[in-house]
Amino acid sequence: MAATNFPKKLALIMVITVMVMLVLEPQHVECAFAVPLNPCTVPECIAQCKKILHAKFMSASCTTGSQGNLCICLG
């Protein structure tokens, strides 16, 4: 009996997810780039991105790629 309710529950979860995504309206990103930063800490990454992007700064995060530690800037 629980197996027959699974598709209905999955459909409900999908509808709710789509509604939340539409309501939150993702922000438009004009640019995204990576800055090599070793070691990459979030406060230092944010500072570097703000220095480059000024008022267009939206967010920053650290990641490890094939080229080492990178700071990802969104603006």
Side-chain angles (χ1 to χ4, degrees):
M1 183 165 189
T4 59
N5 287 335
F6 180 74
K8 290 179 183 178
K9 288 181 182 180
L10 184 61
L12 180 62
I13 291 171
M14 292 297 291
V15 168
I16 292 171
T17 302
V18 169
M19 294 300 290
V20 167
M21 290 173 67
L22 290 173
V23 169
L24 293 179
E25 295 182 47
Q27 294 179 334
H28 177 71
V29 175
E30 291 183 8
C31 68
F33 59 91
V35 176
L37 205 59
N38 197 7
C40 186
T41 63
V42 175
E44 181 62 28
C45 183
I46 291 171
Q48 288 294 321
C49 292
K50 283 183 176 181
K51 189 166 88 173
I52 296 167
L53 293 169
H54 305 289
K56 292 183 179 181
F57 170 79
M58 291 175 63
S59 68
S61 63
C62 293
T63 188
T64 303
S66 60
Q67 299 173 348
N69 294 330
L70 299 172
C71 170
I72 307 296
C73 303
L74 299 177

XYZ file of all heavy atoms in Angstrom:
551
model
N 0.825 -1.193 0.000
C 0.000 0.000 0.000
C 0.873 1.263 0.000
O 0.550 2.227 -0.656
C -0.930 -0.026 1.196
C -1.866 1.142 1.233
S -3.160 0.787 2.409
C -4.219 2.102 2.081
N 1.979 1.231 0.722
C 2.873 2.385 0.777
C 3.543 2.624 -0.561
O 3.841 3.756 -0.917
C 3.919 2.186 1.862
N 3.754 1.570 -1.337
C 4.395 1.715 -2.643
C 3.490 2.449 -3.624
O 3.969 3.127 -4.521
C 4.771 0.344 -3.196
N 2.182 2.328 -3.491
C 1.268 3.022 -4.397
C 1.202 4.512 -4.091
O 0.876 5.308 -4.973
C -0.149 2.424 -4.310
O -0.621 2.539 -2.967
C -0.155 0.980 -4.760
N 1.500 4.923 -2.877
C 1.496 6.336 -2.513
C 2.795 7.040 -2.874
O 2.841 8.262 -2.911
C 1.243 6.504 -1.010
C -0.199 6.206 -0.652
O -1.087 6.334 -1.497
N -0.419 5.798 0.579
N 3.853 6.271 -3.150
C 5.158 6.871 -3.443
C 5.129 7.812 -4.641
O 5.634 8.932 -4.553
C 6.228 5.781 -3.619
C 7.578 6.332 -3.915
C 8.322 6.946 -2.915
C 8.106 6.255 -5.191
C 9.566 7.472 -3.180
C 9.352 6.783 -5.468
C 10.087 7.394 -4.461
N 4.554 7.433 -5.790
C 4.520 8.367 -6.931
C 3.771 9.660 -6.614
O 4.172 10.736 -7.055
C 3.809 7.567 -8.026
C 4.021 6.141 -7.664
C 4.034 6.118 -6.161
N 2.701 9.572 -5.842
C 1.944 10.779 -5.477
C 2.775 11.679 -4.582
O 2.799 12.895 -4.752
C 0.641 10.392 -4.778
C -0.362 9.744 -5.697
C -1.623 9.371 -4.954
C -2.596 8.653 -5.863
N -3.807 8.243 -5.148
N 3.499 11.083 -3.628
C 4.348 11.869 -2.732
C 5.496 12.505 -3.504
O 5.842 13.664 -3.277
C 4.883 10.993 -1.605
C 3.842 10.617 -0.588
C 4.427 9.763 0.524
C 3.354 9.355 1.526
N 3.901 8.523 2.595
N 6.086 11.747 -4.432
C 7.181 12.272 -5.243
C 6.698 13.437 -6.100
O 7.380 14.456 -6.214
C 7.768 11.157 -6.116
C 8.982 11.520 -6.954
C 10.133 11.957 -6.057
C 9.398 10.342 -7.806
N 5.537 13.305 -6.700
C 4.976 14.392 -7.508
C 4.708 15.626 -6.660
O 4.987 16.753 -7.086
C 3.691 13.921 -8.184
N 4.200 15.442 -5.461
C 3.942 16.562 -4.560
C 5.243 17.266 -4.181
O 5.316 18.505 -4.194
C 3.208 16.082 -3.297
C 2.878 17.163 -2.276
C 1.932 18.209 -2.876
C 2.285 16.544 -1.028
N 6.277 16.493 -3.893
C 7.584 17.068 -3.549
C 8.134 17.861 -4.734
O 8.668 18.964 -4.563
C 8.563 15.973 -3.095
C 8.126 15.416 -1.739
C 9.990 16.498 -3.036
C 8.884 14.188 -1.296
N 7.989 17.338 -5.939
C 8.471 18.044 -7.132
C 7.720 19.353 -7.339
O 8.328 20.374 -7.640
C 8.323 17.142 -8.371
C 9.242 15.948 -8.384
S 10.974 16.411 -8.441
C 11.067 17.066 -10.087
N 6.404 19.345 -7.158
C 5.602 20.567 -7.319
C 6.019 21.605 -6.288
O 6.197 22.784 -6.615
C 4.096 20.247 -7.221
C 3.274 21.514 -7.099
C 3.656 19.431 -8.420
N 6.202 21.187 -5.053
C 6.620 22.110 -3.997
C 7.999 22.681 -4.306
O 8.230 23.886 -4.151
C 6.587 21.413 -2.619
C 5.141 21.118 -2.216
C 7.294 22.255 -1.561
C 5.006 20.252 -0.986
N 8.910 21.840 -4.774
C 10.258 22.300 -5.109
C 10.226 23.346 -6.214
O 10.886 24.383 -6.130
C 11.142 21.107 -5.539
O 11.172 20.154 -4.489
C 12.545 21.554 -5.871
N 9.457 23.103 -7.257
C 9.343 24.060 -8.364
C 8.727 25.363 -7.882
O 9.193 26.447 -8.247
C 8.525 23.450 -9.523
C 8.166 24.497 -10.557
C 9.292 22.307 -10.170
N 7.721 25.291 -7.048
C 7.085 26.506 -6.524
C 8.067 27.334 -5.701
O 8.121 28.553 -5.833
C 5.847 26.149 -5.685
C 4.720 25.531 -6.486
S 4.104 26.608 -7.782
C 3.298 27.856 -6.827
N 8.856 26.676 -4.866
C 9.844 27.381 -4.050
C 10.879 28.044 -4.951
O 11.255 29.198 -4.736
C 10.511 26.418 -3.036
C 11.735 27.043 -2.405
C 9.507 26.008 -1.975
N 11.322 27.342 -5.980
C 12.311 27.923 -6.890
C 11.754 29.134 -7.624
O 12.462 30.116 -7.845
C 12.785 26.863 -7.884
C 13.642 25.789 -7.240
S 14.030 24.427 -8.356
C 15.054 25.234 -9.547
N 10.492 29.085 -8.003
C 9.883 30.219 -8.688
C 9.686 31.411 -7.761
O 9.832 32.559 -8.176
C 8.540 29.804 -9.297
C 8.619 28.852 -10.481
C 7.210 28.390 -10.875
C 9.301 29.513 -11.658
N 9.367 31.156 -6.508
C 9.138 32.234 -5.548
C 10.444 32.915 -5.167
O 10.513 34.136 -5.053
C 8.409 31.693 -4.299
C 8.390 32.719 -3.189
C 6.991 31.276 -4.654
N 11.489 32.130 -4.983
C 12.762 32.710 -4.540
C 13.482 33.476 -5.638
O 14.359 34.284 -5.357
C 13.674 31.607 -3.998
C 13.197 30.932 -2.714
C 14.182 29.850 -2.307
C 13.040 31.940 -1.591
N 13.141 33.272 -6.878
C 13.735 33.952 -8.021
C 15.246 34.083 -7.894
O 15.755 35.012 -7.267
C 13.140 35.348 -8.190
C 11.683 35.350 -8.542
C 11.155 36.748 -8.744
O 11.802 37.531 -9.443
O 10.099 37.040 -8.168
N 15.992 33.204 -8.510
C 17.448 33.290 -8.441
C 17.959 34.610 -8.999
O 17.390 35.170 -9.932
C 17.929 32.122 -9.304
C 16.730 31.480 -9.866
C 15.520 32.127 -9.319
N 19.034 35.106 -8.406
C 19.604 36.372 -8.847
C 20.384 36.175 -10.145
O 21.002 35.148 -10.371
C 20.552 36.927 -7.785
C 19.853 37.313 -6.517
C 20.842 37.821 -5.486
O 22.011 37.470 -5.515
N 20.372 38.638 -4.589
N 20.347 37.183 -10.984
C 21.079 37.158 -12.238
C 22.553 37.454 -11.969
O 22.884 38.456 -11.347
C 20.509 38.200 -13.196
C 21.248 38.291 -14.474
N 21.190 37.306 -15.428
C 22.088 39.235 -14.953
C 21.954 37.663 -16.444
N 22.506 38.822 -16.181
N 23.422 36.590 -12.421
C 24.858 36.773 -12.244
C 25.434 37.297 -13.542
O 25.265 36.699 -14.596
C 25.538 35.443 -11.844
C 27.034 35.606 -11.778
C 24.984 34.941 -10.534
N 26.131 38.439 -13.476
C 26.734 39.013 -14.669
C 28.104 38.425 -14.949
O 28.526 38.353 -16.089
C 26.849 40.530 -14.520
C 25.502 41.220 -14.530
C 25.627 42.727 -14.456
O 26.760 43.240 -14.540
O 24.597 43.375 -14.293
N 28.809 38.038 -13.904
C 30.137 37.466 -14.118
C 30.473 36.473 -13.008
O 29.971 36.563 -11.902
C 31.195 38.556 -14.203
S 31.488 39.419 -12.659
N 31.300 35.526 -13.371
C 31.819 34.544 -12.423
C 33.246 34.237 -12.833
O 33.526 34.020 -14.016
C 30.973 33.287 -12.436
N 34.152 34.253 -11.876
C 35.545 33.956 -12.186
C 36.240 33.387 -10.960
O 35.720 33.448 -9.854
C 36.285 35.195 -12.707
C 36.291 36.353 -11.756
C 37.314 36.517 -10.845
C 35.267 37.281 -11.779
C 37.306 37.584 -9.963
C 35.261 38.349 -10.905
C 36.280 38.505 -9.999
N 37.403 32.814 -11.188
C 38.173 32.198 -10.110
C 39.479 32.946 -9.922
O 40.114 33.370 -10.884
C 38.454 30.741 -10.434
N 39.871 33.097 -8.659
C 41.132 33.730 -8.294
C 41.956 32.690 -7.532
O 41.461 32.115 -6.566
C 40.885 34.962 -7.392
C 42.191 35.572 -6.940
C 40.011 35.974 -8.085
N 43.200 32.420 -7.956
C 44.024 31.482 -7.186
C 44.319 32.062 -5.803
O 44.740 33.211 -5.691
C 45.310 31.354 -8.002
C 45.076 32.078 -9.277
C 43.869 32.930 -9.128
N 44.078 31.302 -4.775
C 44.277 31.764 -3.406
C 44.721 30.573 -2.570
O 43.974 29.614 -2.412
C 42.964 32.348 -2.883
C 42.992 33.381 -1.764
C 43.805 34.593 -2.176
C 41.596 33.810 -1.418
N 45.938 30.619 -2.056
C 46.467 29.483 -1.310
C 47.058 29.939 0.006
O 48.058 30.650 -0.001
C 47.521 28.759 -2.146
C 47.804 27.376 -1.632
O 47.140 26.889 -0.732
N 48.801 26.750 -2.211
N 46.496 29.601 1.133
C 45.266 28.828 1.322
C 44.050 29.712 1.117
O 44.098 30.914 1.353
C 45.361 28.365 2.780
C 46.135 29.433 3.458
C 47.119 29.932 2.419
N 42.972 29.119 0.697
C 41.731 29.858 0.469
C 40.868 29.775 1.713
O 40.446 28.699 2.118
C 40.982 29.281 -0.733
S 39.528 30.248 -1.175
N 40.636 30.924 2.331
C 39.706 31.016 3.447
C 38.543 31.900 2.992
O 38.734 32.807 2.176
C 40.355 31.622 4.695
O 40.755 32.966 4.406
C 41.565 30.804 5.139
N 37.372 31.645 3.489
C 36.195 32.396 3.044
C 36.345 33.901 3.308
O 36.073 34.698 2.413
C 34.903 31.822 3.670
C 33.704 32.681 3.314
C 34.676 30.391 3.189
N 36.819 34.335 4.505
C 36.971 35.792 4.710
C 37.954 36.436 3.721
O 37.688 37.515 3.196
C 37.486 35.900 6.142
C 37.033 34.646 6.811
C 37.059 33.598 5.753
N 39.075 35.765 3.439
C 40.043 36.302 2.489
C 39.471 36.293 1.071
O 39.686 37.225 0.295
C 41.345 35.501 2.530
C 42.413 35.996 1.592
C 42.898 37.411 1.876
O 42.836 37.842 3.049
O 43.326 38.088 0.925
N 38.729 35.249 0.742
C 38.093 35.144 -0.571
C 37.083 36.280 -0.767
O 37.065 36.934 -1.811
C 37.422 33.778 -0.691
S 36.668 33.431 -2.283
N 36.264 36.523 0.238
C 35.281 37.613 0.163
C 35.991 38.949 -0.009
O 35.587 39.777 -0.838
C 34.379 37.613 1.412
C 33.463 36.397 1.391
C 33.561 38.902 1.508
C 32.679 36.181 2.677
N 37.060 39.156 0.730
C 37.807 40.415 0.629
C 38.384 40.606 -0.776
O 38.299 41.705 -1.345
C 38.920 40.445 1.666
N 38.949 39.542 -1.349
C 39.513 39.640 -2.698
C 38.428 39.932 -3.733
O 38.616 40.758 -4.623
C 40.238 38.338 -3.065
C 41.543 38.127 -2.340
C 42.585 39.157 -2.747
O 42.693 39.540 -3.904
N 43.345 39.616 -1.771
N 37.291 39.256 -3.613
C 36.208 39.466 -4.566
C 35.633 40.869 -4.456
O 35.344 41.507 -5.475
C 35.109 38.424 -4.358
S 35.604 36.748 -4.798
N 35.465 41.364 -3.236
C 34.951 42.725 -3.053
C 35.921 43.750 -3.615
O 35.497 44.762 -4.179
C 34.692 43.004 -1.570
C 33.424 42.365 -1.060
C 33.165 42.737 0.389
C 31.839 42.167 0.869
N 31.567 42.529 2.268
N 37.216 43.478 -3.482
C 38.237 44.393 -4.003
C 38.169 44.467 -5.529
O 38.340 45.527 -6.120
C 39.628 43.925 -3.557
C 40.739 44.901 -3.861
C 41.990 44.545 -3.100
C 42.835 43.562 -3.882
N 44.141 43.295 -3.256
N 37.864 43.346 -6.174
C 37.806 43.298 -7.635
C 36.455 43.793 -8.158
O 36.395 44.568 -9.113
C 38.074 41.860 -8.132
C 39.502 41.443 -7.768
C 37.831 41.735 -9.630
C 39.774 39.959 -7.926
N 35.365 43.347 -7.535
C 34.026 43.624 -8.061
C 33.361 44.883 -7.511
O 32.388 45.350 -8.092
C 33.107 42.421 -7.790
C 33.455 41.156 -8.557
C 32.656 39.974 -8.020
C 33.183 41.339 -10.030
N 33.842 45.387 -6.390
C 33.257 46.561 -5.734
C 31.764 46.355 -5.482
O 31.377 45.375 -4.871
C 33.529 47.830 -6.532
C 34.985 48.060 -6.797
N 35.868 48.421 -5.813
C 35.715 47.926 -7.940
C 37.089 48.530 -6.320
N 37.029 48.223 -7.609
N 30.896 47.228 -6.000
C 29.455 47.179 -5.720
C 28.755 46.005 -6.411
O 27.649 45.634 -6.028
C 28.800 48.482 -6.152
N 29.389 45.394 -7.404
C 28.772 44.279 -8.128
C 28.948 42.946 -7.398
O 28.418 41.935 -7.831
C 29.358 44.163 -9.529
C 28.984 45.320 -10.428
C 29.524 45.127 -11.821
C 29.132 46.280 -12.715
N 29.628 46.083 -14.086
N 29.684 42.947 -6.282
C 29.933 41.710 -5.531
C 28.629 41.098 -5.057
O 27.772 41.770 -4.517
C 30.834 41.994 -4.327
C 30.939 40.835 -3.375
C 31.771 39.776 -3.654
C 30.198 40.804 -2.211
C 31.871 38.699 -2.781
C 30.286 39.739 -1.329
C 31.133 38.688 -1.616
N 28.469 39.761 -5.305
C 27.295 39.040 -4.830
C 27.671 37.962 -3.818
O 27.055 37.864 -2.770
C 26.542 38.415 -6.001
C 25.869 39.445 -6.894
S 25.102 38.723 -8.344
C 23.869 37.693 -7.628
N 28.658 37.133 -4.159
C 29.054 36.071 -3.237
C 30.430 35.543 -3.605
O 30.946 35.807 -4.688
C 28.036 34.921 -3.241
O 28.072 34.251 -4.472
N 30.991 34.786 -2.664
C 32.316 34.199 -2.861
C 32.381 32.876 -2.120
O 31.740 32.701 -1.084
C 33.388 35.152 -2.346
N 33.159 31.943 -2.668
C 33.357 30.656 -2.003
C 34.696 30.075 -2.416
O 35.252 30.429 -3.455
C 32.232 29.683 -2.345
O 32.245 29.406 -3.724
N 35.202 29.180 -1.591
C 36.476 28.513 -1.857
C 36.224 27.122 -2.422
O 35.257 26.458 -2.049
C 37.289 28.383 -0.574
S 37.850 29.954 0.091
N 37.102 26.701 -3.312
C 37.028 25.357 -3.867
C 38.432 24.882 -4.215
O 39.351 25.692 -4.319
C 36.116 25.311 -5.111
O 35.935 23.961 -5.500
C 36.716 26.076 -6.264
N 38.576 23.590 -4.375
C 39.853 23.018 -4.783
C 39.687 22.442 -6.175
O 38.806 21.615 -6.409
C 40.296 21.912 -3.815
O 40.368 22.465 -2.499
C 41.655 21.362 -4.189
N 40.504 22.908 -7.095
C 40.446 22.434 -8.465
C 41.760 21.806 -8.883
O 42.660 21.603 -8.056
N 41.872 21.512 -10.152
C 43.095 20.890 -10.658
C 44.287 21.843 -10.571
O 45.435 21.402 -10.570
C 42.894 20.448 -12.121
O 42.581 21.570 -12.921
N 44.020 23.133 -10.464
C 45.083 24.136 -10.354
C 45.320 24.577 -8.922
O 45.965 25.590 -8.674
C 44.744 25.342 -11.232
C 44.626 24.983 -12.698
C 44.136 26.139 -13.518
O 43.671 27.138 -13.002
N 44.239 25.996 -14.831
N 44.787 23.853 -7.948
C 44.983 24.190 -6.543
C 43.746 24.834 -5.929
O 42.642 24.670 -6.423
N 43.965 25.608 -4.873
C 42.858 26.279 -4.190
C 42.429 27.508 -4.969
O 43.254 28.323 -5.374
C 43.271 26.681 -2.779
C 43.521 25.483 -1.898
O 42.903 24.440 -2.094
N 44.420 25.621 -0.946
N 41.120 27.632 -5.181
C 40.578 28.739 -5.943
C 39.484 29.437 -5.157
O 38.724 28.805 -4.420
C 39.995 28.246 -7.265
C 40.953 27.559 -8.231
C 40.175 26.953 -9.388
C 41.981 28.547 -8.745
N 39.388 30.725 -5.353
C 38.325 31.550 -4.797
C 37.374 31.857 -5.953
O 37.784 32.425 -6.952
C 38.924 32.823 -4.212
S 37.705 34.054 -3.738
N 36.116 31.455 -5.827
C 35.121 31.688 -6.870
C 34.323 32.941 -6.510
O 33.716 33.010 -5.449
C 34.163 30.488 -7.011
C 34.937 29.185 -7.205
C 33.158 30.727 -8.130
C 35.737 29.116 -8.466
N 34.342 33.905 -7.418
C 33.646 35.177 -7.213
C 32.447 35.273 -8.134
O 32.547 34.958 -9.319
C 34.569 36.348 -7.501
S 36.080 36.394 -6.542
N 31.309 35.716 -7.600
C 30.120 35.955 -8.397
C 29.737 37.423 -8.260
O 29.721 37.969 -7.175
C 28.959 35.087 -7.940
C 29.169 33.573 -8.026
C 27.949 32.854 -7.466
C 29.439 33.138 -9.448
N 29.439 38.048 -9.382
C 29.072 39.462 -9.353
C 28.170 39.806 -10.483
O 27.831 39.030 -11.331
